[in-house]
Amino acid sequence: MESDEAGGKGSATLSMAYAGARFGRSVLAGLSGRKRVECVYCMSDVTDLPYFAQKVVFGEGGITKVLPLGDLNEYETKRLEEAKVQLKGEIETGLKYAEGETLA
């Protein structure tokens, strides 16, 4: 049920809940042997960045295949290069933070 504050146009909370549910469903389906393709942010070698968002195949071992980006036109290539500058800094910040944390 949507809140009245959204004016019937959905909300960020509902969008995140849907995305989380869809992601969880795909992971569980893959682990049970039913392959699923989803777009996720994970370790990657599709660009020169160590992490990137792209389509992957979930299977019995988790992510079983990282799919290529596909052909990009000139505009998309330019925008990707611009975005990678910001993403690189965000990844470095995240890695530095993670170094000081434990997963216990």
Side-chain angles (χ1 to χ4, degrees):
M1 177 177 228
E2 293 184 40
S3 71
D4 292 333
E5 297 169 6
K9 296 182 181 176
S11 72
T13 303
L14 289 176
S15 297
M16 289 186 297
Y18 174 76
R22 180 177 167 152
F23 174 76
R25 187 174 170 180
S26 291
V27 170
L28 293 173
L31 292 173
S32 69
R34 298 182 321 260
K35 292 184 178 179
R36 294 289 188 269
V37 175
E38 288 291 342
C39 189
V40 300
Y41 182 75
C42 62
M43 291 181 80
S44 172
D45 60 5
V46 298
T47 70
D48 55 331
L49 298 172
Y51 297 89
F52 200 73
Q54 70 273 314
K55 287 184 179 180
V56 301
V57 177
F58 285 110
E60 291 183 27
I63 293 175
T64 58
K65 184 175 183 180
V66 176
L67 301 174
L69 289 179
D71 295 331
L72 302 177
N73 64 33
E74 184 180 332
Y75 174 77
E76 293 166 329
T77 300
K78 180 180 180 235
R79 296 293 293 159
L80 174 60
E81 292 305 314
E82 292 169 355
K84 283 172 34 179
V85 173
Q86 181 171 350
L87 288 171
K88 182 178 181 193
E90 292 173 0
I91 291 168
E92 289 170 355
T93 300
L95 292 173
K96 285 178 188 172
Y97 173 79
E99 286 175 2
E101 300 296 315
T102 59
L103 298 175

